Amino acid sequence: MKSKSFLRRINLISQFVITLTAVVMLLPRPAYAVDLVNYSLSDVRVLYLTDNLDKIDWPTIYYLNDRYGCHVDVAVVQQRSHFRVERKSLDNREIDLLRCFIAEASTVRLDSLATELFALRRPDLILFDGANHDQLFLGIKDFLTNIAPSDSLQFNILRVFESSDQADSLQSISKTQSVVFNATELMEQYRERMEIEIPRLLGEFSFDTSKDLSQLRKYILVKDYVERTYGEKGTNADFLSLISTNRLGSIIDGLLLEGPKKITLNRFARQYIDGFRASRTTTGKERVNRLVEGYRAIYDLSNQFRKDPTFKSRWDIPGYIERMVARAERAALRAVGIRWNGQVIRRDSPHGPRIKFRASLSAEGPKEVQLKSVYFHPYWDTSAVPLDTSTHSVAPHQSLVKEYFVDIDRTFLESQNPDSLVFTAELQYGMMPLTVRHTLPVWIAPDLHVRFEPEYYFVPPPASLDVDRVVSNSALRVVITKPKNFSGKVKLDLETPRGMFAGAYRQELTLEKDKVYEVVRIGFSTSKLLELGLHKQYISLSYEDRLVAKDTGLIRIASCRIADTLSIGFLPDSSGWLEDMLSMTDARFRPLTDRGLLTGDLSAYNVLIIGYAAFRHYPSLVRTKDRLEQFVRDGGSLVIMSQPEDWPEGLLPVSFVPSHEIVEQSEIDYRIQTARILSKPYDITVTKLLSEFYRKRDVAAATIAPAERVFATPTGATLLSVSRIGM
């Protein structure tokens, strides 16, 4: 009986194990673990540049981020009328996405772009997307590639690479001048991270992780500034060959003379690096101890760096050491199970600005955590101000939130002193004390933006009179956007091109709370001094005598004489540009409503214009095919702007199927050389019309039948055509 019972228990256990195994196999795989220690030990920064969100080489980016712990800035450069850079970061992943908008590749604009890209310091590696690019991207590439090393900087660009689209054969590329990856293998290795993280960065855009990639991904070495000692070979088996991933010790050796200070700082650096490296081969309490000891060492080292003028005089050193401390703090707190968030907040009050420090502490580990003290360190005094010296204990899986108000004289907040308002908090986990540090710049630029609305403007040719200036009722519209709770005085400054004269406008404005928009109309006049061609105007916004926002608008002369008897009805495009363009003319125009499409008198219009993607906002458009056809048969003109590929079928009295293609000027087929649409009522120069197609670019073409195709793509799709109905 015992043997049968024993066998029965064994059978039940085996069934349980099989069932448990099946359940585990059905569960989703855990998210890719964050290696905070790897990020802490690496000080390598990489800048990846492209001009196409769809062409980003994510496998290579994730390889550098995961394999070496590199911080990677993915910069997507696009042409816009005004300069700005938008940054979005992944928490704890050391990957940032930068959307860079720039008007032109001029020296001033490129310097501004480089300042934004190198905000903390210059990157060690620059990787360029090697696809075909426009002149703007090529200008940026040439500028960044030729930035020479500077002796006044501790960090310079070490290598510049460009991706290659050459044949897949390894023999086609010199192994000493290139890096080659198996892209398919990297995609499989990091697919899980990509599927989770890339959507957080791209937002409304997407990246298809299931798409097929070419097996080999190749990067050609363009510039190499890596110093080599005697006997080291110049081969580049990888991006970081002969480059140390942590240069803290070499920085100390290079900037300090032999002496006690250098010995002390080197000891701190070794303790930090050795502690974090040892934590990768240990577990449990010993691993925690190693990380905490390493963090204490880098924290003490940072205090010495801040006091020493040798390090403070190098503008790229303070940001470097602060980032190293922040990474080490993040890894140490994660190891002991502490979630800490210290936030410094500036608030306006009737008595002036107030500073508030908000401390949030959570114990996520098995032990309680104590908040021992909170101190404020004013830059104008050597003594720290205690905000809280009472011990607050936080039990496991519990949280503590406390706020501390600090009264600071306005003159200190408005000081030009480059130092920051500093707060420190002392934590204790068991017998291990930890110090965390938070700063607030003395002057913070408010989140203000200014822009021309619309961003371009055209004016009629000046009258042929013997006077220098002709007064007109033209006006620019400038829009200021701000946070709802912001209030204060700002200053506007408009720069106009030669021949354009701005009238009186409010240069100083008081922005009030509870408003997010402020619209300023600026009247202007033009004279014969305004030459033909494209001109630029600039609007700048200042707060407390500091520039906080700027925008560039375009203006040109264009003849738009439209007969008074012509009436235009339009369905607005999604961007609003069509309405902006019509408002600059002397035409009679009116937007149509969705109900008006079905019940309105279309014969009241001579021309109907359907803007880009208007069908998405006009549900009744799908039922107006017969009315539109009758409108055209009665002599009306129907103008269809470029449309997206999801245009519904059967909306028009002609077959209309949008398609997006990539073409250049030599590929455009000019089929009807004497097309009336290009000569009446105004003669259009074809060379100027196609001047933007000096490179391959996306076009919104369409397959239309019946149609007289004036311009066509190599596939036969239409760029400009005329369809005649009822003739």
Side-chain angles (χ1 to χ4, degrees), residues 361-506:
L361 176 63
S362 298
E364 298 182 345
K367 294 184 179 181
E368 76 169 13
V369 180
Q370 293 179 335
L371 175 62
K372 304 288 288 186
S373 61
V374 178
Y375 282 86
F376 168 56
H377 303 265
Y379 66 85
W380 58 87
D381 198 344
T382 57
S383 301
V385 178
L387 301 180
D388 190 351
T389 55
S390 302
T391 300
H392 304 277
S393 299
V394 182
H397 312 297
Q398 299 297 316
S399 299
L400 171 70
V401 178
K402 291 187 69 66
E403 294 184 345
Y404 306 95
F405 286 92
V406 182
D407 289 321
I408 300 177
D409 189 274
R410 180 186 290 273
T411 57
F412 292 122
L413 288 178
E414 297 176 353
S415 169
Q416 301 297 316
N417 193 302
D419 291 334
S420 299
L421 306 178
V422 179
F423 295 82
T424 59
E426 297 290 339
L427 309 179
Q428 184 159 327
Y429 177 79
M431 300 300 294
M432 295 182 294
L434 290 168
T435 303
V436 289
R437 186 174 185 268
H438 302 275
T439 64
L440 176 75
V442 172
W443 190 88
I444 300 178
D447 187 20
L448 301 178
H449 303 276
V450 63
R451 71 177 188 274
F452 288 104
E453 185 63 46
E455 59 188 22
Y456 63 91
Y457 204 94
F458 58 82
V459 295
S464 300
L465 302 175
D466 293 331
V467 295
D468 179 60
R469 189 177 308 180
V470 177
V471 178
S472 65
N473 60 354
S474 301
L476 301 170
R477 191 165 70 251
V478 175
V479 178
I480 301 173
T481 57
K482 69 177 188 67
K484 191 174 182 179
N485 62 351
F486 174 84
S487 64
K489 290 185 178 181
V490 296
K491 184 179 180 180
L492 276 177
D493 186 27
L494 174 67
E495 299 179 39
T496 59
R498 181 172 178 264
M500 178 178 170
F501 306 90
Y505 65 95
R506 293 183 298 162

Side-chain angles (χ1 to χ4, degrees), residues 674-694:
T674 58
R676 178 181 175 85
I677 196 173
L678 296 179
S679 59
K680 301 292 184 180
Y682 301 108
D683 189 30
I684 298 176
T685 305
V686 175
T687 303
K688 293 183 178 179
L689 183 64
L690 302 180
S691 60
E692 289 297 317
F693 290 90
Y694 60 86

Side-chain angles (χ1 to χ4, degrees), residues 47-95:
L47 176 62
Y48 176 90
L49 282 104
T50 183
D51 61 355
N52 193 331
L53 280 167
D54 296 328
K55 301 294 185 182
I56 298 175
D57 183 9
W58 291 111
T60 301
I61 291 169
Y62 272 84
Y63 167 77
L64 287 167
N65 176 258
D66 181 73
R67 173 68 175 82
Y68 295 106
C70 301
H71 177 93
V72 184
D73 287 321
V74 183
V76 182
V77 183
Q78 296 174 324
Q79 191 165 23
R80 293 291 188 275
S81 61
H82 53 284
F83 174 80
R84 74 179 189 275
V85 176
E86 301 172 353
R87 180 183 291 267
K88 194 171 185 179
S89 304
L90 281 176
D91 293 339
N92 300 328
R93 291 298 192 183
E94 298 299 329
I95 297 179

Side-chain angles (χ1 to χ4, degrees), residues 252 416 600 648 673:
I252 296 172
Q416 301 297 316
Q673 302 284 334

Side-chain angles (χ1 to χ4, degrees), residues 488-531:
K489 290 185 178 181
V490 296
K491 184 179 180 180
L492 276 177
D493 186 27
L494 174 67
E495 299 179 39
T496 59
R498 181 172 178 264
M500 178 178 170
F501 306 90
Y505 65 95
R506 293 183 298 162
Q507 288 187 297
E508 291 190 358
L509 301 92
T510 300
L511 303 181
E512 300 176 356
K513 287 186 177 181
D514 300 325
K515 294 176 64 177
V516 294
Y517 291 100
E518 184 76 26
V519 180
V520 181
R521 293 180 62 84
I522 304 176
F524 70 92
S525 61
T526 57
S527 73
K528 293 185 292 185
L529 296 176
L530 184 64
E531 301 176 350

